[in-house]
Amino acid sequence: MGLFDRLGRVVRANLNDLVSKAEDPEKVLEQTIVDMGEDLIQLKQAFGQTLASQKRTEAQYKQALKDANTWEQRAKLALSKGEESLAREALVRKKSYTETATTLKEQLEQQSGQIETMRRNLTALESKISEAKTKKNMLIARSKAAKANEALQSTMSGLNTSGSMAAFERMENKVLDMEARSQAVGELGGSSLENQFAELEAGSGVEDELAMLKAQMTGSAEPKGALPEGETKDKATPKDDVVDAELDDLRRQLDNL
């Protein structure tokens, strides 16, 4: 293969590639419909011209037949008058018009075939254009959907999903740590307060029990510090009555021994 052949093939290949990339389905389909419409217009014009030519040929054919008949009548008239030479001339004219009529008839038959073929082609082209328009709308809709999906996929592929999710996870863990520290601080503060009150309550219980035992052993119904705030020492409390009752019961048991 020669150098120029290889170079020509490379140029054609690159041009075809550029054309393929530059082709927009919507624009190409629209232009195709326009081209088909122009072809339809040209076909209609040719059909009209052929039909008009047929009409003229038909008129000429009829006129030739009429003229041939006229000269035949003239030949008969001349022959009846004894004018044989005129009759012969008239028959010559008749023959000429008859041959013209025969030729025109052949043209009419050819034109009729052409018109019938053009009529079928015209109908087929109109049907193809109608089908192409319907298909064009469908293809354009599919093309737009494909472009939208491609743009969406490009957008999705451009997003750093893994990085975004990792950022969300980090922030979630950070919030959980903050909540845990806050809860721990609250529990520590509450625990300290609870412990202080628990110590006070525990200490108060031991002191009360110790005072009660002292009262039982000494026989006193009024241990020091056992009276509630706002009460006088001379006034007996229900608690002292219970203790006195227990002491009396113990004395009776001792007396019965």
Side-chain angles (χ1 to χ4, degrees):
M1 182 179 293
L3 176 62
F4 290 104
D5 292 337
R6 294 172 59 190
L7 181 61
R9 177 168 294 178
V10 170
V11 171
R12 290 194 302 272
N14 290 330
L15 289 176
N16 288 332
D17 183 62
L18 290 175
V19 171
S20 298
K21 291 180 179 179
E23 281 184 337
D24 186 343
E26 297 181 26
K27 295 179 180 179
V28 172
L29 290 172
E30 290 288 354
Q31 186 60 43
T32 302
I33 296 297
V34 171
D35 294 342
M36 294 177 71
E38 292 178 354
D39 293 339
L40 179 62
I41 292 174
Q42 293 179 0
L43 183 57
K44 285 182 176 181
Q45 291 176 350
F47 178 78
Q49 293 173 357
T50 304
L51 191 61
S53 178
Q54 183 193 35
K55 295 296 183 182
R56 290 193 300 269
T57 302
E58 186 177 5
Q60 293 173 356
Y61 170 70
K62 291 180 179 180
Q63 185 64 42
L65 290 178
K66 183 179 179 180
D67 292 339
N69 184 60
T70 299
W71 285 106
E72 183 180 1
Q73 296 300 322
R74 289 178 178 178
K76 290 179 180 180
L77 176 61
L79 189 60
S80 65
K81 298 294 184 178
E83 298 291 337
E84 187 175 343
S85 60
L86 289 176
R88 185 179 290 108
E89 186 67 25
L91 289 176
V92 172
R93 295 288 183 89
K94 174 196 171 184
K95 183 181 179 182
S96 176
Y97 282 112
T98 300
E99 291 176 351
T100 301
T102 301
T103 303
L104 292 172
K105 185 178 181 180
E106 293 176 356
Q107 291 181 5
L108 280 174
E109 292 176 353
Q110 293 177 358
Q111 289 174 345
S112 296
Q114 291 176 355
I115 288 174
E116 185 62 27
T117 301
M118 294 178 70
R119 183 179 283 110
R120 288 196 301 268
N121 291 337
L122 187 62
T123 303
L125 183 57
E126 289 176 343
S127 177
K128 287 183 178 180
I129 290 176
S130 177
E131 181 182 356
K133 287 181 179 179
T134 301
K135 193 172 184 179
K136 178 204 71 173
N137 295 331
M138 295 172 54
L139 291 175
I140 288 178
R142 290 169 59 185
S143 175
K144 290 181 178 179
K147 289 180 179 179
N149 185 58
E150 183 180 0
L152 178 61
Q153 294 299 327
S154 299
T155 302
M156 292 296 294
S157 62
L159 293 176
N160 188 6
T161 307
S162 59
S164 300
M165 295 306 298
F168 271 98
E169 291 178 0
R170 290 197 307 271
M171 294 303 102
E172 183 179 6
N173 292 332
K174 190 171 184 179
V175 171
L176 290 175
D177 292 340
M178 294 171 64
E179 291 176 346
R181 288 197 302 270
S182 175
Q183 184 177 2
V185 171
E187 290 179 354
L188 288 175
S191 176
S192 176
L193 187 61
E194 291 290 336
N195 291 335
Q196 293 178 11
F197 275 101
E199 291 176 358
L200 291 176
E201 291 172 354
S204 177
V206 171
E207 293 296 330
D208 292 343
E209 188 174 359
L210 180 60
M212 186 181 296
L213 289 176
K214 287 180 179 181
Q216 290 177 359
M217 293 176 64
T218 60
S220 173
E222 296 179 357
K224 184 178 179 181
L227 291 177
E229 185 179 356
E231 298 281 347
T232 61
K233 291 185 178 181
D234 295 336
K235 185 177 180 181
T237 64
K239 186 175 181 181
D240 294 337
D241 293 339
V242 173
V243 173
D244 293 340
E246 290 180 356
L247 290 174
D248 292 338
D249 185 45
L250 288 173
R251 290 191 186 98
R252 285 194 299 269
Q253 290 178 6
L254 292 173
D255 293 339
N256 291 330
L257 292 176

